[in-house]
Amino acid sequence: MSALRTCFIPEKEESEIREYFEKRRGGILKPGDDIKSIERRYAPLGVFEIKRRKDIETGIISRVKKTIEESNRFYVNLNNVALYYVSKGLGKKPRIEKLDVMEKIIDLPSISIKFLSDIVKKGRITHHELNKKHFLFLNGNFDCIMMLKARDLIDFHPRVYGASYGIYAPHLEYLAKVNILDFDDKRYNLGDFLSTEQIKLEGKKVDETVHKPEEVLETLEVFFAGDGISQDIVYLPYDECTYVDKEGRFRHDRLIAPRFSI
């Protein structure tokens, strides 16, 4: 007997999906491409819960330091490691958006991800602060910083090039260029917003699982400086349209439109 899988429920009917892609065939200045095919696909999303400790100060007159535990749930595409969240613009319908930070860091050394985590927490951090914590030069880890720069995840201030960083190191700052929500932002937890159902996926088009949940979990733990567990795999339905133009060239478009429960 085929196993049932947990899937988010698609919002649009077949006729609405075709109408959506018809409207995106072309514009006034560009002849409309022909729709070659529209197919429903399912993306495997790993569900991960991460917990971490955070030091805070309470009180108005007398400030008291205390440690609290915070947690959140993250949904990551196991095919392309897109990290999803819910976008809720004022006066607009909520929709699913994705961040590409996991794609940029999934294959980096853990020390590079730790550096990035520290830089992202503050937005910008001095070389002195980072070196004091990680001993960048003593441990020969500056190459791991340069990896972040090469992937456009951070920038230097003042700008430095090649071996000249040694001249500016005492005054050097690292600036985060990562598009990311705060760790405790509840928009990461798709399960709080979307409706699910149990269906059989046999015979349906399911994206390949390229990244193992263990690999994704390890990256999330390092980046968010916490401990976590891999909880489940949920499937996200989406529709992919293939267009063909007059010269026989193809292009693809996607519609991700799950049903919201809020």
Side-chain angles (χ1 to χ4, degrees):
M1 182 180 295
S2 300
L4 293 173
R5 306 294 183 184
T6 302
C7 299
F8 292 122
I9 302 174
E11 179 186 43
K12 296 183 181 296
E13 300 293 336
E14 186 174 334
S15 59
E16 295 176 295
I17 294 168
R18 186 165 191 91
E19 181 181 358
Y20 171 85
F21 287 121
E22 285 281 359
K23 291 179 179 179
R24 297 167 66 87
R25 290 175 58 221
I28 298 175
L29 301 178
K30 180 181 182 298
D33 297 334
D34 293 327
I35 293 178
K36 184 177 185 296
S37 65
I38 299 174
E39 66 176 15
R40 167 66 49 80
R41 301 191 64 88
Y42 292 83
L45 307 190
V47 185
F48 306 92
E49 184 176 16
I50 306 294
K51 296 181 179 181
R52 71 179 188 184
R53 294 184 177 277
K54 180 180 180 181
D55 294 328
I56 63 171
E57 291 186 349
T58 61
I60 299 175
I61 299 176
S62 177
R63 305 294 288 173
V64 178
K65 291 184 177 181
K66 62 183 296 187
T67 300
I68 63 171
E69 183 177 83
E70 54 183 2
S71 66
N72 208 348
R73 190 168 293 163
F74 302 88
Y75 289 72
V76 180
N77 192 318
L78 299 179
N79 176 267
N80 58 20
V81 287
L83 173 60
Y84 294 100
Y85 70 98
V86 174
S87 175
K88 300 188 296 180
L90 186 63
K92 297 182 179 180
K93 291 182 62 176
R95 64 183 187 276
I96 299 298
E97 298 283 3
K98 63 181 181 180
L99 301 170
D100 64 357
V101 62
M102 290 290 290
E103 180 183 352
K104 292 182 177 181
I105 69 175
I106 190 72
D107 61 342
L108 286 176
S110 61
I111 189 64
S112 290
I113 303 174
K114 287 180 181 178
F115 293 160
L116 180 63
S117 176
D118 286 339
I119 297 168
V120 168
K121 281 178 186 176
K122 291 193 172 184
R124 61 193 299 158
I125 189 171
T126 67
H127 170 81
H128 175 73
E129 290 177 274
L130 204 61
N131 194 44
K132 186 177 179 181
K133 180 176 181 180
H134 296 288
F135 302 105
L136 292 183
F137 293 103
L138 292 179
N139 290 343
N141 287 324
F142 199 77
D143 284 348
C144 295
I145 282 286
M146 295 304 292
M147 290 180 187
L148 301 178
K149 178 70 168 65
R151 298 197 181 186
D152 203 32
L153 292 165
I154 64 170
D155 207 349
F156 295 156
H157 181 78
R159 294 181 179 275
V160 295
Y161 300 93
S164 62
Y165 67 78
I167 301 173
Y168 300 100
H171 310 290
L172 184 61
E173 286 187 314
Y174 305 110
L175 285 67
K177 297 179 67 178
V178 176
N179 180 26
I180 195 76
L181 306 179
D182 291 338
F183 171 82
D184 59 353
D185 195 313
K186 296 307 178 184
R187 290 178 294 170
Y188 281 124
N189 191 356
L190 303 189
D192 283 349
F193 300 92
L194 304 178
S195 301
T196 61
E197 62 182 349
Q198 299 290 314
I199 68 171
K200 297 178 181 179
L201 290 178
E202 281 70 19
K204 301 183 185 298
K205 297 183 183 297
V206 180
D207 292 344
E208 177 188 2
T209 296
V210 176
H211 299 274
K212 295 180 179 179
E214 298 80 18
E215 174 192 10
V216 176
L217 175 61
E218 182 179 351
T219 303
L220 286 171
E221 287 179 322
V222 175
F223 182 69
F224 286 120
D227 297 306
I229 57 173
S230 174
Q231 291 188 321
D232 200 1
I233 294 179
V234 179
Y235 292 85
L236 175 67
Y238 68 92
D239 298 286
E240 184 168 81
C241 179
T242 301
Y243 297 95
V244 58
D245 66 14
K246 304 304 180 184
E247 284 73 39
R249 294 172 298 193
F250 296 96
R251 67 179 177 90
H252 301 276
D253 196 6
R254 287 185 177 184
L255 171 63
I256 300 177
R259 182 185 301 170
F260 282 81
S261 57
I262 56 174

